Amino acid sequence: MSKYIKFSACVLLLSCNAFALDLSQYEDDVAALLHEYQQNAQPHSAEPSLLIFNQAEQQSTYVDFKRGMILLESQNKAQLKQAIVQVLLTQIDPTVIDAKTAADFGLINSKQKPFFWGQIRDTDGQPIEYQWRASRYADYLVSQSLRQNSRYQVAIKMVSNHTQIAGDKYINFARQSAQKFSVKTDLIMAIMETESSFNPLARSRSNALGLMQIKANTAGRDYFSLIKGYKHTPSSTYLYDPQKNIEVAAGYLHLLSSRYLKGIHDPQKREYAVISSYNGGTGNLFKSLHPGGSRKQALARINKMTISEFYWFLTHRHIRQESRNYLKKVTKRRPKYL
């Protein structure tokens, strides 16, 4: 087995005739997921929690980190089995990622556990680590596959607590960065889950990268300029490294709190503002509070509000709907990481 096998991106998977299915043959949750993909198969429409890759035109694969599902298709059962085994045993290595596409996915040395170890279990309820177990489970999945448009397709469901298992891979990095920048670990982890569902190769339509969805020319540049002390825009390869990505994000959260939103006196209100601004920017926060976007007037208004009033305002009156929902999601997820 080679050190790693690269997979090239297939951003428009459905336009390659993948998953053009008779959804009536699938279980309700799989059918709903496939229907959503069919409705949203537009250039650059994939969410950061969705990884789309293929080995060749004959094989295509979705990995949905948020929903905990992997969808594969191939022209014949032998190729489908090979694709399944590759996914079950694959290991993501940031050092071999194509910085432009962030779509390389491959197999590396067998001394490391597969990337999806524990998130996928076989028919015996066991995690899959070795070739023989992956091959046996692949045989079972192939036997359950459906044929559509001359292609064989199968869905692999991750375990119910797949998000927790995925997050555990990065919790130590989050703790280290939290201590370094005086940011709470649970805040980092909740933002990470909200941003990428722990997809280390996440890439948004706006070119935000990695676990914490860092934009190189904004948060990345601020991190190096204001914290590291020199002007630099980090490369995509740098930001696809989980430890570095988390560190940059924690540093940026520190900047939001200690610099850009410094005038908010109450620490709880300032934290809410930080979360909202991580998603929507401080400029949109200020515009939500003052028609002209005056920082001084916005901060004065925030300081006059109670904590509950400010939370209500951010979740009901922020000018960006995404930012309203973002604060709710992050706040709801934080207790899981305490």
Side-chain angles (χ1 to χ4, degrees):
M1 186 179 297
S2 61
K3 181 180 179 182
Y4 62 87
I5 301 173
K6 288 191 173 184
F7 292 78
S8 58
C10 179
V11 176
L12 257 177
L13 191 59
L14 294 175
S15 70
C16 301
N17 296 318
F19 301 116
L21 309 177
D22 174 6
L23 300 179
S24 65
Q25 298 189 50
Y26 288 84
E27 295 181 23
D28 291 345
D29 55 350
V30 179
L33 181 58
L34 293 172
H35 177 71
E36 182 176 333
Y37 290 163
Q38 290 175 331
Q39 294 297 311
N40 295 286
Q42 302 297 326
H44 310 298
S45 66
E47 297 179 1
S49 60
L50 178 65
L51 177 63
I52 306 173
F53 67 93
N54 69 347
Q55 181 185 16
E57 293 182 2
Q58 294 81 11
Q59 296 178 7
S60 299
T61 304
Y62 274 119
V63 180
D64 191 324
F65 287 83
K66 182 189 296 182
R67 297 175 180 86
M69 190 175 295
I70 302 174
L71 307 174
L72 306 96
E73 73 157 17
S74 190
Q75 288 188 333
N76 58 62
K77 289 188 174 182
Q79 290 178 343
L80 183 61
K81 177 180 178 178
Q82 180 185 35
I84 293 170
V85 171
Q86 288 172 341
V87 165
L88 294 175
L89 297 180
T90 197
Q91 182 56 263
I92 294 175
D93 183 350
T95 64
V96 299
I97 292 173
D98 183 319
K100 293 182 179 179
T101 66
D104 289 347
F105 212 67
L107 302 174
I108 61 174
N109 74 74
S110 59
K111 294 181 180 179
Q112 298 185 45
K113 283 185 170 61
F115 183 80
F116 293 109
W117 188 87
Q119 293 175 265
I120 300 172
R121 292 180 178 268
D122 65 10
T123 53
D124 295 329
Q126 297 299 312
I128 300 166
E129 183 172 358
Y130 302 110
Q131 179 75 34
W132 69 268
R133 190 178 288 277
S135 181
R136 189 181 68 172
Y137 189 46
D139 285 334
Y140 166 77
L141 292 171
V142 169
S143 72
Q144 303 296 309
S145 64
L146 295 175
R147 190 175 185 183
Q148 297 282 347
N149 299 330
S150 299
R151 296 168 79 90
Y152 292 90
Q153 295 139 343
V154 69
I156 304 175
K157 295 182 182 179
M158 299 182 199
V159 297
S160 59
N161 64 332
H162 66 93
T163 300
Q164 178 184 340
I165 295 171
D168 286 346
K169 302 175 187 177
Y170 310 113
I171 187 69
N172 286 333
F173 294 152
R175 287 170 178 156
Q176 292 167 9
S177 293
Q179 184 176 17
K180 184 174 183 178
F181 295 109
S182 299
V183 178
K184 296 176 182 177
T185 301
D186 61 292
L187 176 59
I188 295 174
M189 294 299 296
I191 287 176
M192 196 186 309
E193 180 182 348
T194 303
E195 290 287 349
S196 68
S197 295
F198 304 114
N199 173 12
L201 304 186
R203 185 171 194 158
S204 74
R205 291 183 289 272
S206 61
N207 210 36
L209 306 177
L211 290 165
M212 302 289 286
Q213 288 292 274
I214 299 295
K215 291 185 180 180
N217 62 350
T218 53
R221 188 175 56 197
D222 282 359
Y223 170 81
F224 278 94
S225 176
L226 300 175
I227 293 180
K228 290 293 189 179
Y230 60 94
K231 293 182 179 180
H232 175 67
T233 300
S235 66
S236 40
T237 299
Y238 185 96
L239 292 176
Y240 282 124
D241 182 305
Q243 184 172 10
K244 293 174 181 175
N245 186 279
I246 293 169
E247 182 173 317
V248 170
Y252 184 64
L253 288 168
H254 172 73
L255 287 175
L256 285 171
S257 180
S258 63
R259 186 182 181 97
Y260 301 130
L261 300 169
K262 185 178 180 180
I264 302 175
H265 303 320
D266 183 88
Q268 183 62 70
K269 286 191 284 183
R270 188 164 65 251
E271 192 169 77
Y272 286 152
V274 165
I275 297 170
S276 182
S277 297
Y278 190 91
N279 174 261
T282 55
N284 284 321
L285 172 67
F286 298 150
K287 289 177 184 176
S288 300
L289 290 150
H290 184 268
S294 167
R295 180 180 185 275
K296 181 178 179 180
Q297 295 296 325
L299 294 179
R301 187 176 176 188
I302 293 171
N303 287 326
K304 289 180 180 179
M305 295 182 186
T306 65
I307 294 173
S308 59
E309 286 172 344
F310 186 50
Y311 181 85
W312 184 93
F313 181 88
L314 291 176
T315 55
H316 290 80
R317 291 290 182 264
H318 194 287
I319 61 175
R320 297 180 77 246
Q321 179 66 47
E322 181 183 339
S323 297
R324 296 178 214 166
N325 294 330
Y326 188 84
L327 178 57
K328 295 177 186 177
K329 291 176 182 178
V330 172
T331 302
K332 182 179 180 181
R333 288 166 175 160
R334 290 186 68 176
K336 293 192 296 184
Y337 304 106
L338 290 173

